Amino acid sequence: MLSRTAASLYWLGRYVERADFTARLIEATVRLDALSASPAGEAAWASALAVTYNDKAFAATGHAISPQPVAHFLTLDMGNPGSIVRCLEQARNNARAVRTALTREAWTAINRLWLLFAKRVSPGGTATTLSLVEGVMAEARGFEGAIHRMMANEAAMLIQLGAAIERSDNTARLLDVKYHLLLPEGERVGGLVDRDQWTTILQTVSAVTAYRWLYSDGLRPSNVIDLLITRAELPRSLAGCVEEVVEQLNALAKRTGLQGEADRMARARIARMQKTRSHEVIVSGLHEYLQAFIRENAMLDAAIARQFRFI
Amino acid sequence: MGKGRAFDEIWGHGGPDAPRPDFAELSRWMAETPHAELNRRQQAAEATFRQLGITFAVYGESEASERIIPFDIVPRIFLHDEWQRLSEGLVQRVEAINAFLQDIYGERRILKEGVLPPELVLLNPQFRPEVAGIRPPHDVWAHICGIDLVRTGPDEFFVLEDNARTPSGVSYMLENREAMIRLCPELFRSFRVAAVDSYSDMLRETMRSVAPERSGTTPVCVVLTPGHFNSAYYEHSFLADTMGVELVEAADLLVDDDIVYMQTIAGRVRVDVIYRRIDDDFLDPLVFRPDSMLGVPGIMSAYRAGNVALINAPGNGIADDKAIYSYMPEIVKFYSGAEAKLPNVETWRCREPQALKYVLDHLDEVVVKLVDGSGGYGMLVGPTASKAEIEAFRAALIAEPHRYIAQPTLALSTVPTLTESGLAPRHVDFRPFVLTGSDGVRVVPGGLTRVALKEGSLVVNSSQGGGTKDSFVLLPKGQSQQQTQVQS
């Protein structure tokens, strides 16, 4: 496989995952905004910006933090490199560049995803915004389905590797920002927190039901943290993503014979993850833990690029 | 033009009620299928094209304005014996084009014997002195030719243009057929149509057959594209995909010691045959335009060393130049010893004083073209031009006559086409694809029919609002689909 093709496939996986995550985040924020008894609206939208590292860029637009402008900024703003439309544009450009490595179904799914946005100028009111992001999530599922029906070759593996790296980054950032937002100065993790906000985290990663299955004692922040860091059976948990990265790298090694630094880093990470206990993380500092995870993820990303000679 | 009714490929000179005898069935289908149903199917086809991204980018517009080429649901049909005659003419013409290229960049017999004015070739911007003396693997130059044809009557076909550089449109030929099979299966029961989907296999065989000797039985073949912003990118990816070869960009290739490699995740892999969809100008910055970012430095030197086959060969532009075109009957005769089976459209070379005088006197009747123009730009269609346009061309012709040729406006044939007010005749042209390998010349039984969607218009270019149709080539009576596939 061409090195450029490998890079495009990997980034295709990352961008679709990023668009999907942002869509989920918007959906969760709309719910949070609607459900909160207190006027939590502004805080909810502010947190959506913080999770995507967009707070400064949004401030530069001069708009007040309220549903419509933030929703527009995160979905359709061509000036925001992290907006859904820009992610989809990047995903489609990468997909076009490697069309020959994709099945017709996979390409069509990407193209349909992109067409959702191609002629839109406004996310509309709340109901329209919701149906737009639901469309993104549904089409992204269609894309994932198509990837799973491609030949199990290095093309499909690289897309899934990119998606797993991106997904672990998103979950870590989501948890980290909530840590900032939810804890007033001097407050211990596990103290008084806004129940709605923790529910929102679970909703964002589609884990409300999983939580009920796994924990019997009601909604507790420490359990949410435990679920999202250590429970590998949840595909969006850090442990789940870390396992998937190793699996995809192993599968790639088997097909291409390429193994190296990225495999060593990923295996070391999984070994550490298996020993991780969430209460220890909370005691020694969730924020520090997540920051280290995000840094390590970026180093792994760079090692993958070297290993597969991305150009 | 426009006085008498043009020949219609289906309706002949009659009309919907009196079609050509072989097409009574098609005429019945058109009459019996409700307009709304035809419309629905046509829209379904176009929706599929959009979803598949079968689009072309319009330069200077944003990516969101990628367009699909309008598709018309009524096919254009060639009877088997019509096609037979056409094919013979195409093979003869493409063989002559190959012989001409070999000669011009080699011995130049045709110039020495005075058949062509030497300055017309040697001073032509399409002539590449850099290529002189090179012999491509197996002496094949024009591996893939698209010959644009027009028709004016039952047996009157004319060549309008030869495309021996990077003719495009073959993906439309194949996708149009896919759409027709899905949307109008009943037509394939009424007509036995030759399959076109073997094109990719034939192209792959052609590529394999011209690999340099040393590459063995499984040469590494690739398609080289300028990238996904190119208007024909869909076609490049389609061809690579259906042939099962890599689609590469220049940045994926490197030349080391006159050998071309592609950079893969497992390191360098040697490349033997490149179907390049990059113009000569941009192919190698060391030889052609130094400012090109699209090219592969050193690729021409690898080619000269015989280490790689380039499809089509660099330098081919001299064979499809509009000034050379007018000499094509002489060129065919010179190399084949026989009269051209496919005639040219009568052409006045404005560089010749007598021709110029005739053209200036008849500007309102003729089509004037820039010899180096394409895509429907830089031309005057006399009968429909305004006085001011005619005067502007008159001035341009007098100032630089050598840059122009002129042709009569032909009564181009029409094919019934779905319009807002029902089925109506619209003018068409036709581009068949001719493949040349080390083992001979093949014509794919089909091609791209382009249709001018505006009433009376003769301009079929997609950049000027033209559409496309499927082109059926009928099998001889009594022969089944399977038999042809085995034989081809």
Side-chain angles (χ1 to χ4, degrees), chain B residues 11-22:
Chain B
W11 292 333
H13 286 291
D17 304 325
R20 294 169 72 199
D22 296 284

Side-chain angles (χ1 to χ4, degrees), chain B residues 83 86-92 94-95 98 140 142-147 170 173 198-210 432-446 484-488:
Chain B
W83 183 257
L86 210 52
S87 298
E88 285 166 18
L90 289 166
V91 169
Q92 181 199 42
V94 168
E95 281 174 346
N98 258 304
V140 182
H143 310 79
I144 299 145
C145 283
I147 308 293
V170 78
M173 166 178 91
S198 56
Y199 180 81
S200 297
D201 293 334
M202 286 166 64
L203 178 57
R204 197 183 164 138
E205 269 319 301
T206 301
M207 288 179 72
R208 213 191 290 249
S209 79
V210 295
F433 295 93
V434 186
L435 297 178
T436 304
S438 63
D439 52 347
V441 184
R442 296 182 188 84
V443 183
V444 184
T484 7
Q485 277 177 348
V486 172
Q487 286 173 6
S488 69

Side-chain angles (χ1 to χ4, degrees), chain B residues 31-257:
Chain B
E32 285 169 3
T33 316
H35 184 197
E37 173 60 16
L38 291 176
N39 242 327
R40 188 196 64 74
R41 294 189 200 180
Q42 185 152 315
Q43 280 161 11
E46 292 189 350
T48 309
F49 291 162
R50 181 162 296 285
Q51 230 173 52
L52 289 172
I54 307 177
T55 55
F56 72 103
V58 181
Y59 290 115
E61 295 186 18
S62 75
E63 205 183 341
S65 64
E66 285 172 14
R67 297 203 202 138
I68 55 167
I69 297 183
F71 169 72
D72 185 75
I73 199 149
V74 182
R76 165 279 177 88
I77 304 179
F78 289 95
L79 298 172
H80 181 73
D81 54 337
E82 287 175 347
W83 183 257
Q84 216 46 39
R85 285 196 296 277
L86 210 52
S87 298
E88 285 166 18
L90 289 166
V91 169
Q92 181 199 42
R93 188 153 179 123
V94 168
E95 281 174 346
I97 287 175
N98 258 304
F100 172 68
L101 286 162
Q102 178 89 350
D103 186 28
I104 277 305
Y105 291 115
E107 296 177 67
R108 298 184 187 158
R109 281 197 299 124
I110 196 165
L111 303 186
K112 289 173 191 153
E113 297 189 22
V115 180
L116 284 182
E119 74 279 7
L120 191 69
V121 173
L122 302 177
L123 300 181
N124 192 305
Q126 296 301 331
F127 178 75
R128 300 286 184 192
E130 301 89 343
V131 173
I134 294 183
R135 289 191 67 167
H138 307 275
D139 289 341
V140 182
W141 294 74
H143 310 79
I144 299 145
C145 283
I147 308 293
D148 288 345
L149 301 173
V150 294
R151 184 179 194 178
T152 57
D155 282 312
E156 287 84 47
F157 285 94
F158 297 94
V159 176
L160 193 59
E161 198 172 310
D162 301 289
N163 296 282
R165 280 173 278 181
T166 51
S168 59
V170 78
S171 59
Y172 292 97
M173 166 178 91
L174 297 167
E175 294 291 357
N176 286 353
R177 176 61 52 82
E178 282 299 306
M180 287 302 281
I181 290 172
R182 264 200 313 276
L183 294 166
C184 304
E186 68 272 23
L187 285 180
F188 293 85
R189 285 193 291 273
S190 315
F191 294 101
R192 285 202 318 279
V193 181
V196 287
D197 55 8
S198 56
Y199 180 81
S200 297
D201 293 334
M202 286 166 64
L203 178 57
R204 197 183 164 138
E205 269 319 301
T206 301
M207 288 179 72
R208 213 191 290 249
S209 79
V210 295
E213 300 286 357
R214 55 142 287 281
S215 22
T217 50
T218 51
V220 174
C221 303
V222 301
V223 175
L224 173 61
T225 174
H228 67 267
F229 293 110
N230 184 271
S231 62
Y233 180 76
Y234 173 77
E235 177 153 308
H236 308 160
S237 69
F238 178 94
L239 290 173
D241 207 9
T242 50
M243 287 193 287
V245 305
E246 291 286 0
L247 177 65
V248 304
E249 294 178 14
D252 300 318
L253 298 180
L254 68 97
V255 180
D256 189 0
D257 203 12

Side-chain angles (χ1 to χ4, degrees), chain A residues 279-294:
Chain A
H279 62 271
E280 289 166 12
V281 169
I282 293 167
V283 169
S284 60
L286 178 62
H287 174 66
E288 286 71 22
Y289 176 84
L290 292 170
Q291 287 298 313
F293 183 92
I294 290 166

